[in-house]
Amino acid sequence: MATVTVDQMREIERDAMAAGLSEGELMERAGIALGRAIGNQYPNVGTAVGYVGKGHNGGDALIALRVLEEEFGWKIGIRSVYPMDQLADLTRRQWESLGPNRSFGPDVETQGTGPLLLLDGLLGTGAKGGLQDPLKGLADEMAWLRNHHGAKVLAVDLPSGVDPDHGEIFPGAVTADRTFMIGAAKRGLLFSRAANAVGQLALVEVKALNGGGESQMELICPQSMDVGKNPRPFEFHKGLAGKVGIVAGSDSFTGAALLAALGAVRAGAGLTVLYVRSAIHDAVLSRLPLEAMVMRCDVPQQLLSEHLDAMVIGPGLGQMSHEFSDGLAALIENTQIPTVIDADGLNLVAQRGIKMSSRHVLTPHPGEFSRLAAEPSRMGREEGACQFVGQTDAVLLLKGARTIVARQGKALRVNSTGTPAMSNGGQGDLLSGVIGGLLAGGMVAYDAAAYGAWLCGHAAELAEDASGGIVSATRTADHIGRAMNHWRAGSNLR
């Protein structure tokens, strides 16, 4: 999904009205789509409160409240510091349509039972700078309810007080748990510097407001990518799904190798072969996913003669002998098949200055990236990624709260899924295996990296929903199949 600036979004709205839609009709469509997205995302019914400013953003929130009440059974209320006659005309009409006795006082937490959702409709994309009183007081109230009463703050199009073009978080800005971007992805909200205020990302499709055309930055989401959606032909077999070889593991990090193998299996690889050094073969064999195989591998360059469709190199390799390192470097440099380089494989690439090619997918976390790239700390993640791929033909997947996928000559892709609950060891190993499995099945590297990041992030979201707590990599793996189904259905909303 191509991202848009505020000016581009206004042009999209003008085009929609020139095509015959009134401003009120656009608001109605946006608000209805927003309400249904929220209702589907949060199936446990409780109380939803719209925090409403003067503008049309508040109108979208009010329509969403109506949908939540009528279609999903939520109790709803309105918090505002303005009398109704000071609101924009369309917003005032939406408030009036909800009927009397909808206003809540500051004691929001006592107004209902069940989950508490707070819809941030204080400011829209046209606002500039930080929040001022009296709106700042409402933002503070939302923060207090979030911190002390478990409320979820849902931003309508953007968190109030965040610049939608550049991602700057102004003083007093709303901190959202999830931002529902309406019609098109707002460019600034995808930057990593905005992540703490924006929270999780969701795209609310409104056909009349969909962004189009080319962009230097894209949101990774099922609404805009066709990969991974075509069903397999009925006459299909494991040979067509590809064979992936994984060079991973050491006596201290057998789990990394096993998680990579599990990821490849769950991503649909026809055959998954884990290649480990002889010293850990038996330890790995006893815990191997039943669908995978394990082979001894003390001379990595011998894999150049194996009939593989893709490789994953690096998870958990740990300390390596000089001979093994030489063989691994030769394997990385001379491979003729798509190859994911992760973890200790990346460290070897950085240490030896191994030249990367279009066959390679690099999956560093920020620390590994700092060893690969020249002085990345002097610039932001996005700028650093673009500079790096400008000097290589490889695909870069830079991990983080907003995982980035970059390739020379392509738009920078930013992932829309993931949760702080997956901030633990093993998630990256699983991801490398997932990407390897997708590559083995024939997906091109730029798409496999993006799709793999989305799958693992969304699978972790689903696991968090199921457990309500911290999500381990194995729990993420358990939900990859369901994440695939959501991708095929065209939505990351549950």
Side-chain angles (χ1 to χ4, degrees):
M1 172 64 71
T3 59
V4 298
T5 64
V6 171
D7 287 343
Q8 289 169 331
M9 195 67 219
R10 286 173 179 157
E11 185 64 29
I12 292 170
E13 291 169 349
R14 284 194 291 268
D15 289 345
M17 287 187 280
L21 289 173
S22 69
E23 200 168 15
E25 288 171 323
L26 282 176
M27 178 183 285
E28 184 74 10
R29 293 187 183 190
I32 289 174
L34 173 64
R36 288 173 178 166
I38 294 172
N40 289 327
Q41 180 70 41
Y42 298 95
N44 296 326
V45 174
T47 303
V49 184
Y51 280 70
V52 176
K54 293 181 179 181
H56 287 176
N57 197 251
D60 294 337
L62 292 169
I63 295 171
L65 288 178
R66 186 187 77 212
V67 172
L68 287 171
E69 180 181 53
E70 294 178 353
E71 297 187 17
F72 295 91
W74 285 76
K75 179 180 180 179
I76 63 170
I78 304 168
R79 281 287 286 140
S80 183
V81 291
Y82 300 113
M84 203 178 295
D85 60 6
Q86 290 186 19
L87 306 185
D89 185 56
L90 288 175
T91 302
R92 176 183 55 79
R93 291 184 202 173
Q94 294 302 332
W95 193 332
E96 290 173 342
S97 72
L98 289 174
N101 303 320
R102 297 294 194 170
S103 293
F104 279 3
D107 57 340
V108 169
E109 74 276 8
T110 68
Q111 300 298 310
T113 59
L116 177 59
L117 302 183
L118 311 179
L119 278 58
D120 167 27
L122 298 180
L123 294 176
T125 56
K128 301 293 183 183
L131 287 172
Q132 305 295 324
D133 287 328
L135 293 182
K136 184 179 180 301
L138 290 182
D140 291 342
E141 179 179 301
M142 281 191 277
W144 190 86
L145 290 168
R146 179 176 183 266
N147 293 334
H148 296 278
H149 285 275
K152 295 289 186 182
V153 177
L154 312 181
V156 177
D157 213 21
L158 82 164
S160 298
V162 177
D163 187 317
D165 282 348
H166 304 102
E168 182 178 357
I169 302 174
F170 292 107
V174 169
T175 296
D177 294 287
R178 187 179 294 270
T179 296
F180 289 82
M181 300 180 293
I182 298 175
K186 311 309 183 287
R187 185 175 188 271
L189 304 187
L190 275 62
F191 284 109
S192 57
R193 56 180 167 267
N196 280 337
V198 172
Q200 293 174 305
L201 287 170
L203 184 66
V204 179
E205 280 198 286
V206 181
K207 288 187 178 180
L209 298 177
N210 284 352
E214 295 184 358
S215 173
Q216 294 181 336
M217 183 180 287
E218 296 177 349
L219 182 69
I220 300 171
C221 61
Q223 294 94 328
S224 62
M225 292 176 61
D226 290 331
V227 299
K229 293 182 179 176
N230 290 337
R232 288 176 169 178
F234 190 78
E235 192 175 0
F236 197 80
H237 56 77
K238 63 185 179 184
L240 296 175
K243 181 179 180 180
V244 59
I246 301 171
V247 183
S250 60
D251 53 2
S252 297
F253 302 108
T254 56
L258 293 164
L259 285 167
L262 181 61
V265 169
R266 295 295 171 88
L271 289 170
T272 299
V273 184
L274 182 56
Y275 293 95
V276 301
R277 282 164 282 186
S278 295
I280 65 166
H281 176 274
D282 293 347
V284 169
L285 180 62
S286 66
R287 300 168 57 200
L288 192 71
L290 295 178
E291 302 86 351
M293 297 178 286
V294 62
M295 302 287 290
R296 290 180 173 84
C297 176
D298 296 310
V299 184
Q301 62 267 44
Q302 290 182 351
L303 296 188
L304 292 170
S305 61
E306 291 289 323
H307 297 294
L308 300 171
D309 297 294
M311 282 194 298
V312 177
I313 297 174
L317 282 174
Q319 294 292 323
M320 296 173 275
S321 68
H322 187 73
E323 293 77 13
F324 191 87
S325 296
D326 285 346
L328 196 65
L331 177 62
I332 293 171
E333 197 161 17
N334 295 298
T335 179
Q336 298 299 307
I337 59 176
T339 300
V340 180
I341 311 295
D342 188 33
D344 293 308
L346 292 169
N347 293 331
L348 184 66
V349 168
Q351 291 163 7
R352 302 208 177 188
I354 301 171
K355 183 176 175 58
M356 295 290 96
S357 73
S358 60
R359 297 181 295 277
H360 296 111
V361 179
L362 311 178
T363 60
H365 57 56
E368 291 161 345
F369 185 57
S370 69
R371 294 188 283 274
L372 286 171
E375 301 180 351
S377 61
R378 295 187 178 182
M379 58 190 73
R381 281 167 51 83
E382 294 79 16
E383 295 87 349
C386 289
Q387 177 175 296
F388 181 82
V389 297
Q391 301 167 359
T392 179
D393 293 327
V395 170
L396 172 69
L397 182 150
L398 179 55
K399 298 167 187 172
R402 295 277 184 261
T403 292
I404 293 168
V405 176
R407 180 161 216 168
Q408 187 176 141
K410 298 285 190 179
L412 187 74
R413 287 175 166 175
V414 181
N415 190 32
S416 61
T417 61
T419 166
M422 64 189 301
S423 301
N424 48 62
Q427 302 283 355
D429 305 313
L430 181 74
L431 172 62
S432 66
V434 167
I435 298 172
L438 297 173
L439 291 171
M443 193 173 290
V444 299
Y446 180 55
D447 289 339
Y451 181 39
W454 188 96
L455 281 178
C456 289
H458 187 48
E461 292 173 347
L462 295 171
E464 184 182 20
D465 285 351
S467 68
I470 300 302
V471 175
S472 67
T474 52
R475 292 298 302 274
T476 297
D478 289 341
H479 290 79
I480 286 175
R482 190 172 165 213
M484 285 179 166
N485 287 336
H486 286 186
W487 177 271
R488 295 187 190 103
S491 177
N492 66 311
L493 299 174
R494 271 73 97 187

